[in-house]
Amino acid sequence: MSYPRKLVLLGATGSIGKSTLQVIRKHPEKLKLIGASANSRAEELFEIASEFDVQRINLTKPASSKLTPPGQIDFSCGEVELSQLASWGEADLVVVAVVGAAGLAPTLAALEAGKDVILANKESLVVGGKLVMETAKRTGALIIPADSEHNAVFQCLHGQHENSLDSIALTASGGPFRDRPLSELDHVTPKEATNHPNWSMGPKITVDSATMANKGLELIEAQWLFNLPPEKLNVLIHPPSLVHAIVRFTDGCSFAQISPPCMTFALQNSLLYPERSPGVVPGLDLSQSLELSFYPPDMKRYPCLRLARKCMEEGKSAPLVFNAANEIAVEAFLANRIGFTRISDIIENTLNQFDHQPAHSLKELLGLDNIARDMARDQVVRAS
Ligand code: NAD
Ligand code: MG
């Protein structure tokens, strides 16, 4: 792919969106932003459009109908229009940094149009993994994982023979409540839960890190990306978040990818792949002592991880229901409607109530997603 690579960035105003913009600022000769989207924050999106001289923008759910975008820009509103932007013929790469299942439709639209996708949005693989992977295979589009653990695996696999992968360990910090007595978890606040010890991220994924639902979603994400059975996918708690994944090959040798806990490493690797260039922030200081410890998670502390693993093994609509119930429960927790430990209860009850079935199209997947959300909302009412 020649330079500059023309990028469309979906979810430009979020945490991943901002890190992506940092990488573009660092490499203006290699990366050109031509399209961008945000959910509702018009002013921020307009500022990005002005700074990067973007040609086309989308506000998916505008808060106001009276908006004046800068200059002669092509400005659209709505979900269908978001998918149109994702499949725009001018783009070389589409970065999907939207949060939640809302990322599925634009991811599919980009892949259907044969666009290579840099995927931060793990929920799209959890909800529609089979459809997403089949679409990419059919159109020949590449999915480059930008989630740090999956990008780490992607880097470790580079140059290796296709059949040589044996198993993977994704690392996790254990979140802000890693060492809290279990009896105190009922009373932790959204403020505490959104204060991650290592990473600076959006509110939903930060709560997901505290419950480790995030690592559960990532196991399912890895299952699709790397085509491994559940028993070959592991999680290890690694408090400093320096090693992002460990990949073991069939001969017993393992590779790990190590970098400071900052998303610009994984994003730059995806955006410039397969080239390497100086990064946005300094890499690891190899003259200092390094303490790297790893241990398996305690499933009593992280019931969401236990449930996600069960869903991964069960397949069909179970991962989709897990994701939908988790999104609703996290939203309710952030709004102070339910306690922290109710998040896993709501997911478990919704999973138990649901009549699991396979879904083959985007329409069927979104239909099941809606049913699961309604069930989870009932659970929230009961729990609040
Ligand atoms: P965020 O909440 O900070 O940003 C989300 C972005 O998506 C914003 O630009 C927002 O305007 C847009 N958006 C929100 N809801 C939308 C909707 N319904 N339709 C269209 N656009 C919508 O989230 P984030 O932390 O940047 O995470 C984005 C995705 O990347 C998530 O799937 C997350 O799991 C994944 N991810 C994030 C990190 C991280 O460090 N933040 C790391 C790995 C993976
Ligand atoms: Mg991750």
Side-chain angles (χ1 to χ4, degrees):
M1 203 185 287
S2 60
Y3 290 128
R5 293 178 177 176
K6 290 187 261 173
L7 309 181
V8 165
L9 172 57
L10 309 181
T13 54
S15 167
I16 288 287
K18 286 177 183 150
S19 297
T20 305
L21 296 175
Q22 280 183 283
V23 178
I24 300 173
R25 279 190 199 100
K26 173 90 185 172
H27 299 288
E29 71 296 349
K30 294 187 173 159
L31 301 168
K32 168 76 186 119
L33 189 68
I34 60 164
S37 87
N39 198 37
S40 58
R41 297 215 288 262
E43 288 312 319
E44 269 184 59
L45 182 65
F46 294 166
E47 273 172 33
I48 292 167
S50 296
E51 179 187 343
F52 292 89
D53 197 16
V54 171
Q55 297 161 42
R56 196 168 161 183
I57 53 173
N58 170 271
L59 209 54
T60 313
K61 293 183 194 134
S64 151
S65 56
K66 290 193 192 107
L67 294 167
T68 320
Q72 297 297 309
I73 204 157
D74 178 340
F75 174 47
S76 70
C77 295
E79 286 175 20
V80 174
E81 292 76 3
L82 176 68
S83 287
Q84 286 167 354
L85 176 59
S87 55
W88 187 19
E90 283 296 306
D92 296 318
L93 284 169
V94 179
V95 183
V96 185
V98 166
V99 63
L104 177 61
T107 300
L108 283 171
L111 293 171
E112 192 63 59
K115 300 286 159 198
D116 291 345
V117 167
I118 295 179
L119 193 61
N121 176 273
K122 62 198 80 183
E123 294 91 344
S124 52
L125 279 173
V126 173
V127 175
K130 190 164 187 282
L131 184 60
V132 169
M133 297 312 289
E134 281 174 0
T135 307
K137 197 169 175 200
R138 177 164 47 75
T139 64
L142 201 61
I143 300 175
I144 305 178
D147 204 348
S148 53
E149 299 76 5
H150 305 72
N151 184 263
V153 175
F154 184 73
Q155 291 191 45
C156 292
L157 291 178
H158 193 65
Q160 299 291 333
H161 194 276
E162 212 178 297
N163 300 326
S164 58
L165 173 63
D166 176 71
S167 52
I168 289 172
L170 306 176
T171 61
S173 70
F177 309 133
R178 186 179 63 222
D179 302 317
R180 270 295 167 97
L182 290 180
S183 58
E184 289 179 18
L185 291 184
D186 261 342
H187 308 292
V188 298
T189 63
K191 196 170 171 223
E192 290 173 282
T194 47
N195 186 15
H196 196 280
N198 303 345
W199 297 92
S200 162
M201 310 182 283
K204 190 248 175 192
I205 183 177
T206 312
V207 176
D208 286 353
S209 298
T211 60
M212 271 181 77
N214 181 51
K215 215 48 58 179
L217 296 171
E218 289 183 354
L219 282 173
I220 301 166
E221 182 186 12
Q223 186 185 26
W224 288 112
L225 286 170
F226 307 115
N227 195 23
L228 283 175
E231 65 275 14
K232 297 280 188 182
L233 292 162
N234 306 285
V235 170
L236 285 172
I237 300 223
H238 168 55
S241 300
L242 292 171
V243 172
H244 303 293
I246 305 173
V247 176
R248 196 174 75 190
F249 294 98
T250 44
D251 62 357
C253 293
S254 298
F255 283 15
Q257 188 268 331
I258 315 183
S259 50
C262 175
M263 282 307 295
T264 55
F265 290 101
L267 286 164
Q268 176 166 315
N269 185 270
S270 314
L271 289 160
L272 300 184
Y273 172 80
E275 192 185 297
R276 292 192 189 265
S277 281
V280 173
V281 296
L284 209 58
D285 181 351
L286 296 178
S287 67
Q288 299 296 313
S289 46
L290 264 181
E291 274 191 43
L292 302 177
S293 58
F294 304 86
Y295 59 90
D298 166 8
M299 291 299 187
K300 275 206 208 79
R301 181 173 292 279
Y302 301 110
C304 289
L305 181 59
R306 171 180 57 80
L307 291 168
R309 186 171 267 289
K310 212 170 137 214
C311 290
M312 170 170 70
E313 284 157 5
E314 198 172 325
K316 290 196 276 188
S317 54
L320 173 155
V321 175
F322 176 92
N323 179 69
N326 181 53
E327 284 192 34
I328 296 295
V330 170
E331 201 179 278
F333 169 68
L334 286 171
N336 279 308
R337 291 187 61 201
I338 58 165
F340 182 75
T341 51
R342 295 284 81 78
I343 296 174
S344 59
D345 294 343
I346 286 168
I347 299 173
E348 187 154 29
N349 292 342
T350 309
L351 281 166
N352 288 342
Q353 264 184 32
F354 207 86
D355 175 20
H356 292 293
Q357 46 194 289
H360 305 288
S361 64
L362 176 62
K363 194 168 168 227
E364 283 174 4
L365 288 164
L366 296 182
L368 293 180
D369 180 69
N370 268 327
I371 296 171
R373 277 167 203 265
D374 284 345
M375 283 182 175
R377 281 190 195 101
D378 284 347
Q379 294 290 336
V380 168
V381 172
R382 259 176 248 169
S384 45

